[in-house]
Amino acid sequence: MEKHAHNLEALLKTSTDRRQALRWLLAGTVAPLAGCGGSVEVSIGNISYSSPGTRCAIIPEETAGPYPGDSANYNSNGIANALSLPGIVRSDIRTSIAGASGVASGLPLTLTLRLVNTATNCADLSGYAIYLWHCNQAGQYSMYSSGISAENYLRGVQVTDSNGSVTFLTVFPGCYDGRMPHVHFEIYPSLASATSAAGKIRTSQLTFPLATLNEVYASSGYSASAANLASISYATDNVFSDGTTLQMAAISGSVSNGYSASLTVGISA
């Protein structure tokens, strides 16, 4: 153990070897100090490194974008507010509700968010409402985009359980021109407050590993997304250019079996 620590500390003193040293750290060469959400933080001497992924830190505040459907703006029918729709509290968001009948196509994605309190060592937060929405396979947003403005699929609200978690059944979002693929979400202190944007306490976005994006977009129905993805990167994206450590979902699965993704979301409550 002492030999490994000595070797790693020497490696970390040179910038060219830091990346390899970090791989050793994350592979468990030295004992980690766990943060919330399964992240890893390692200290060697007076040097500390954290693994990619969630830490006990507040998730960045991000724009809700032009298509929130949370009463903050208008669509062709007036104020766009999915939060007021009967049936919006649901786990399966692949279909439209409240008289609309559209169904979103795309690879299945099960997405779990775990809400934690950074003020209390990332204790689970139950009873909070999370509103989640994203574009469809073609990069279009229900309630706004041409041809689907009357639809409201890929939008839903859930209340965090005793573990601070909500799980949505959805489809893998596409990539539209100018943005890395992403999923929007807003956090509300209770279901009663989740009726309009005025009640939200945090807005953010999550994204997915590039290897998974390339795998998904090589499948049927995502050809436009593959082309759009080729012209953008995390470094040039106007939301993720400052880093994705706290917003990168952990993901597993395959094109043939569908995908499961998860993210721990920290707020100070």
Side-chain angles (χ1 to χ4, degrees):
M1 176 69 177
E2 291 180 358
K3 180 180 178 181
H4 286 314
H6 174 78
N7 291 340
L8 285 170
E9 187 168 6
L11 279 173
L12 289 170
K13 290 178 180 177
T14 62
S15 60
T16 56
D17 288 323
R18 281 176 182 158
R19 184 172 297 176
Q20 180 60 45
L22 190 54
R23 291 194 188 103
W24 288 10
L25 295 177
L26 303 184
T29 306
V30 295
L33 304 174
C36 82
S39 64
V40 174
E41 187 169 308
V42 181
S43 294
I44 302 176
N46 61 354
I47 304 171
S48 295
Y49 278 85
S50 294
S51 69
T54 53
R55 296 175 295 173
C56 199
I58 297 173
I59 195 161
E61 178 77 12
E62 306 290 10
T63 177
Y67 312 117
D70 61 1
S71 80
N73 62 13
Y74 294 80
N75 62 11
S76 58
N77 299 314
I79 294 175
N81 190 9
L83 297 172
S84 66
L85 295 174
I88 194 62
V89 180
R90 56 186 181 148
S91 60
D92 190 339
I93 62 174
R94 295 173 293 182
T95 61
S96 289
I97 53 175
S101 58
V103 179
S105 59
L107 294 180
L109 172 65
T110 301
L111 180 56
T112 299
L113 301 182
R114 175 180 166 236
L115 188 65
V116 298
N117 186 3
T118 62
T120 56
N121 198 31
C122 277
D124 298 327
L125 287 172
S126 63
Y128 283 68
I130 297 181
Y131 168 45
L132 180 144
W133 74 98
H134 62 82
C135 69
N136 64 12
Q137 186 182 40
Q140 301 172 308
Y141 284 88
S142 68
M143 300 181 69
Y144 294 88
S145 297
S146 177
I148 59 170
S149 60
E151 303 296 344
N152 47 58
Y153 54 58
L154 307 183
R155 300 176 184 273
V157 175
Q158 283 198 72
V159 177
T160 57
D161 62 16
S162 59
N163 297 314
S165 296
V166 296
T167 297
F168 292 91
L169 304 178
T170 186
V171 299
F172 207 99
C175 177
Y176 55 87
D177 186 34
R179 280 298 319 275
M180 287 296 288
H182 58 281
V183 171
H184 297 267
F185 57 93
E186 292 175 344
I187 301 166
Y188 293 79
S190 66
L191 183 59
S193 63
T195 57
S196 74
K200 67 181 179 179
I201 56 176
R202 200 78 182 169
T203 304
S204 197
Q205 300 178 25
L206 65 85
T207 189
F208 306 96
L210 185 59
T212 301
L213 296 175
N214 285 322
E215 182 178 81
V216 170
Y217 295 161
S219 63
S220 176
Y222 287 98
S223 58
S225 291
N228 289 331
L229 182 63
S231 64
I232 189 72
S233 69
Y234 298 118
T236 58
D237 185 83
N238 64 5
V239 169
F240 300 124
S241 58
D242 58 353
T244 61
T245 300
L246 298 174
Q247 296 165 283
M248 181 65 69
I251 195 160
S252 62
S254 64
V255 168
S256 57
N257 296 319
Y259 292 86
S260 294
S262 62
L263 182 71
T264 299
V265 177
I267 63 170
S268 181

